[in-house]
Amino acid sequence: MTEEKQDVGAELAHIEHAVTDASQQLSLKDIGSERVPGARGRDSSESPSLRKAKTGFADSEVRQAVGFGFASATGGYALIAPLLGAINAEIGPDPNVVWVGLVYLLTQTVIFSIVGRLSDMFGRRWFFITGSVLGLIGSILGATARTIPQLIGAEVFIGSAAAFQISFFWVIAELVPMKWRFIANSGAYAFTIPTNALAPKVAQAFQTQTSVRWRGCFYFCIAINVVSVACWYFFYHPPTFKMLHRRRAARDLLLHFDWLGLCLFTGSVLVFVMGLSWGGSVYPWKSGHVIGTIVAGAVMFVVFILWEVYLPLKDSEPFLPIHLFANLQYISAAALTAIGAATYFSFSLIWPQCVNVLYVGLSDSYKGTLFGLVTMGFVFGQIVGGFLATLWAPKPGLILCTCIGGPLLMSAAANPLNMSLTMGLITTGALFIGMQEGNCIAMTTFPLRSQEEIGTAGGLSGTIRSFGSVIAEAIYTTILANRLARTIPALVPAAAENAGLPATSIPALLTGLAGTTNLTAAAVPGLNANIIDAAGAAYRLANSQAYQTVFLASFAFGGLGMVLCWFTGGVDKSKDDFVAGHIHKHKEERALEEERG
């Protein structure tokens, strides 16, 4: 009797194992029963049209659409950010110039998830054509701007376009075999070298060596977007709505979609991020504008989660599947992309300020090179990381990069006045964090319940990534401002008075050192060369102490990354040759839509 029970148990285990294998194969090969056979994922060897993807890339024209779009998304702000002071002096001055950067981050943070979710449902083609068209419109508006409000309006379009164009990582991911996703992303990052890694140098060249000056940055983006729009339109033909939904009409899907969830999510993210962005720049942190928007955004997000969990309309299509938030491997990878992006955006903002204040006697050309060290290290890390993850197991490489990059950036606090040491640590740290971020952004596309959700998951990870950038930027700028408010009064007045400056001239001296007014004897009574030298040295020391604190604070993100990297998922070798999506020729569209099976 016992042996019989054991035989039955073994048979049941065998059946369970077989069913599990079958369900896993179904989740890969039959991505949603709604899709026609030609729109389902498959092994790359099963179709001649997919075999060429074994090289790791989709059609070259689609690669160009993705690459040029991504280049435009980064260049739309990275090219003009180093020149905002000169731009404000020419078409301003306007205190609202801070909104140029704010709206760029705000719009893409909100739109990322909308692009991913809706393109999963309705098809991708027109979403990405629209994205590059928005980038083209924004670049034209930027090139013709005559006031700062007009420039802000241009960045609204450019930031909105960036949400489409920076979604490259999951658009590429579904067109290549899983094993080539990392290296395919590296190819896209290479397109951004002139608009991101070398953006400060390119921007400076336009400003100093052309007659159009800073407007040349937007002319450059216009050209890039024209190419991107053309490539998307003529060569990108992913599954249409009819291929994705054999049994549902567009009207039915629109009526049953969770539009309230979309509004709650969008509103909560927009309001919360706006409050964070305002804090310390537009309004003081203790102001009602900042506190009110942060609290309102947080409450709205709680309501959104409750709505998605207890969705009363059971037959409706949720905006964000709630199971994504419970997927530890996915959330860990998405959070690590946010930490990487936080390093990129924050250090790209803080480091140029550090160079301007601490290192004197440098030419403008050399300063332009130093300004770009963070972006150079980060982008080249993203490129190299994809190759290394393909050659080596990605998770061990991710852990290694995270555990090296964070401590290196923190170590820049050793002596900020030592330019060679500091720029070496920051550049190397940015290189490793770039490798980490580039690998993690690809890893968010793997641990999904179904590859049918790759756009939804990619859009959410894009929102998380941008959200982390805003948080880090707010934290770093606040720490820097608070520390400078203490270190400068503690060091500079005493040094200036000891050198012979009257106490009544100290306020004028401080504004002069900050660059707000002229640092001359007429503006600062009693000023002479000895006082300038003594006060300048004290001012640099005070700033170096403030930047030390900022660099040390960066480990709050780096340390969190060193914990999260252990929870990310590896890559299942059994799925190496699986391709989640496809593109087809326009003339094949009708036949594919009418497929049955």
Side-chain angles (χ1 to χ4, degrees), residues 35-58:
R35 296 190 173 198
V36 301
R40 299 170 190 167
R42 71 196 78 174
D43 190 275
S44 59
S45 64
E46 293 180 17
S47 169
S49 64
L50 293 174
R51 285 175 191 154
K52 58 188 170 183
K54 285 189 175 181
T55 59
F57 298 102

Side-chain angles (χ1 to χ4, degrees), residues 5 12 82 99 120 165 169 179 188 215 224 237 251 284 304 340 348 365 467 476-477 512 537 571 592:
K5 287 182 178 179
L12 288 174
W99 277 98
D120 266 351
Q165 295 167 324
F169 63 95
K179 65 183 176 183
R215 298 183 190 275
I224 295 173
H237 295 281
R251 179 177 179 275
F304 163 73
S348 296
S365 177
F467 186 71
Y476 287 155
T477 53
V571 180
L592 287 169

